[in-house]
Amino acid sequence: MGGIRGAIREWWERGRALAGANPLVVDIGVALLVQGAMTMPFVVPRAAGAPPATWAAYGLSTLTVVPLVWRRRAPVAVLFAVLAANALYRLAVDGPGQPLPYTGLVVVYTIAALSPARGRLVTGAVLLVAVPVGVWLNTRSARELTFSVFVLVAAYVFGRLTDARQRAHRVEAEQAAARERARIAREMHDILSHAVSLMIVQAEAGPVAVRAAPERAEAAFDAISAAGRDAMVQLRRMLGLLRESDGVPLREPQPGLAELPGLLDRVRAGSGLDVGYRTLGHVRPLSGAVAATVFRVVQEALTNTVKHAGGRTVTVELTYGESDLCVRVTDDGRGPQAGAVGQRGGQGLVGIRERAAALGGSAMTGRGADGRGFEVRVRLPVPAAVEAGP
C-alpha cells in the first residue's frame, strides 16, 4: 500500500507541476471535462415527452462551455459570457436540461479563488438576479432555487478556501526564502570577515617585516594569498546554493570538523596567534548541520579574536557530553569592553547566537573563566547516537 500511495503522490506532484507551468492546458482540460458532463443528457435514452436532443441544442450547450478556456484571464467576463450563452440556450431551443449548473460552478469557484474583492462583489450581485431568473425560465420551483443557491455558495466557499491555502503557501515560501537568505548572509559574513581580518593583520605587519625581516614579509604575503584563495573556495561553495541546474539547486557539502584543523593552521600562519585545539569526552559523528555550525562558530570566534582581542593565545575546545556538544573558544586578550559586557565583535557574535538557536542550542559570550580574556561558549544538542550527515 505504501508503494501505491507513493506512486499516487508522485503522479499528483507531477500533475501539480504541469498545471503550474501550463495553466492554459489545464483550463482546456477543465472545459473538456465540463463538456463531457454536459454531453451525458444528450446521449442517454430520453423519456417520452422529454425535450429532443438536437444538434442545435448540443451546439448551444457547447457554446456555454467554451468561455471556460479563458476563466483565469478574465473570470468576471467569462461569467457574463456563460450567463448569456445559457440564456440563449433556454430561450432559443428546448433542449435537455442539466442536473447541475456545471459552467456556473466552475466560474464561481474561479472568481472566488482568483478575483479581488470587487470582482467577487460584482459576481454576487449578478447571481442574485441571474439565479432566480434562470429558475423562473426553467422549472419555477423553490426546490430548484434552493438547490442552485446551495451548490453555487458551496463553489464560492471552496474557491475562498483555495485562495486562503494558496496565500498561506506563498507566505510560507516567502518566509523560507527569507530564512535561506539570512542563512547565506551569515555564511558569507563569516567567510569574508574571517579572510579579510587575516589579510588586514598580515598587510599591516608586512611593511614592518619588509624592513626588519624580509623572510617574514614573504610569509606574510603567502598568508594573505592563502586566506584569499580559501575565501574564494568557500564563496564559490556558498554561491553554488544560488545556482540552479535543470531547476534543482546545487548544494555542495558545507565545511565540517574535517576542515577545522586547516582553519586553525590558517589562523596560526596568518595572525601569529598560538592556537590550541583539544577535544574532551567520547568523540562521535555529528550531523552535517551540527558539524557545519561548529565550524562556523569556531571560525567567527577566531575572527573575533584576531580583530579585537590583542592577545597571544587562543584555545578551541570541543567537549562531547551525553546529549550535547560544548564548543569553547577562549583567548588571553583584552576581554569585553567597558559598557558592553559580554559583547565584542558586533554582528559576528549575533550570528553565533542565531546559529546555535537554529539547532535548539544556546550561546554565551563574556570574560574567560579566570576573569581574563574573552570566551565564546556554545552548547548544541547532540543525541548519543547520530548518523554523520553529508
Side-chain angles (χ1 to χ4, degrees):
M1 290 297 294
I4 296 176
R5 285 196 298 268
I8 294 175
R9 187 180 299 110
E10 181 180 356
W11 280 102
W12 175 257
E13 293 299 331
R14 288 183 179 179
R16 290 183 60 185
L18 177 63
N22 303 278
L24 180 59
V25 173
V26 176
D27 292 340
I28 293 174
V30 169
L32 292 175
L33 184 64
V34 172
Q35 181 62 37
M38 296 190 67
T39 301
M40 300 305 295
F42 289 87
V43 297
V44 298
R46 308 289 299 160
T54 63
W55 283 107
Y58 185 71
L60 284 178
S61 71
T62 302
L63 187 63
T64 66
V65 177
V66 171
L68 296 182
V69 174
W70 294 275
R71 67 187 184 97
R72 295 177 196 260
R73 302 181 186 179
V76 176
V78 168
L79 171 67
F80 282 102
V82 167
L83 291 176
N86 273 294
L88 180 63
Y89 181 85
R90 293 294 179 190
L91 297 173
V93 299
D94 188 18
Q98 298 291 336
L100 284 171
Y102 299 108
T103 52
L105 292 177
V106 174
V107 175
V108 169
Y109 169 85
T110 303
I111 291 174
L114 302 180
S115 292
R118 181 178 180 180
R120 298 196 300 271
L121 288 174
V122 170
T123 300
V126 170
L127 292 180
L128 193 62
V129 175
V131 171
V133 170
V135 172
W136 185 81
L137 292 174
N138 191 26
T139 64
R140 303 184 183 182
S141 68
R143 180 179 178 182
E144 183 185 1
L145 178 62
T146 302
F147 179 74
S148 298
V149 171
F150 174 78
V151 294
L152 289 173
V153 169
Y156 181 85
V157 170
F158 281 126
R160 295 307 301 151
L161 291 175
T162 299
D163 177 62
R165 185 173 63 252
Q166 290 174 344
R167 282 188 282 111
H169 289 168
R170 286 194 294 269
V171 170
E172 182 179 354
E174 291 171 359
Q175 291 175 344
R179 289 193 297 269
E180 184 70 4
R181 287 194 297 268
R183 187 186 69 80
I184 293 175
R186 287 196 301 269
E187 295 282 349
M188 297 186 72
H189 167 272
D190 291 352
I191 293 169
L192 293 174
S193 178
H194 177 75
V196 172
S197 296
L198 293 182
M199 290 177 177
I200 290 174
V201 169
Q202 289 297 327
E204 290 176 343
V208 177
V210 168
R211 293 190 295 269
E215 67 281 359
R216 287 183 55 195
E218 183 177 351
F221 292 135
D222 289 340
I224 293 174
S225 177
R229 284 195 299 268
D230 178 69
M232 290 300 298
V233 169
Q234 295 195 56
L235 285 175
R236 280 194 295 268
R237 178 182 297 165
M238 287 304 306
L239 293 175
L241 299 177
L242 306 178
R243 299 195 306 267
E244 289 189 357
S245 177
D246 297 330
V248 179
L250 301 176
R251 292 184 174 270
E252 301 181 14
Q254 293 297 297
L257 296 189
E259 288 76 22
L260 201 52
L263 171 66
L264 303 183
D265 289 340
R266 290 192 297 273
V267 173
R268 292 187 187 102
S271 66
L273 285 170
D274 180 11
V275 183
Y277 176 54
R278 63 174 177 265
T279 60
L280 303 174
H282 178 62
V283 179
R284 56 184 182 274
L286 303 176
S287 68
V290 173
T293 297
V294 171
F295 180 92
R296 294 303 186 196
V297 165
V298 172
Q299 182 183 55
E300 181 56 39
L302 292 175
T303 302
N304 182 54
T305 298
V306 170
K307 292 171 64 176
H308 305 288
R312 294 186 177 183
T313 63
V314 59
T315 302
V316 178
E317 180 181 283
L318 305 184
T319 303
Y320 290 81
E322 293 185 0
S323 59
D324 60 10
L325 171 65
C326 182
V327 182
R328 292 180 61 215
V329 181
T330 58
D331 62 53
D332 62 351
R334 288 187 291 268
Q337 299 298 310
V341 178
Q343 298 291 328
R344 191 177 74 186
Q347 292 300 318
L349 297 183
V350 173
I352 288 177
R353 294 189 182 90
E354 290 177 348
R355 289 179 184 278
L359 295 180
S362 60
M364 297 177 60
T365 59
R367 292 192 179 276
D370 57 358
R372 296 185 304 165
F374 193 81
E375 177 180 278
V376 175
R377 182 192 295 264
V378 173
R379 190 174 299 276
L380 302 172
V382 177
V386 61
E387 295 182 2

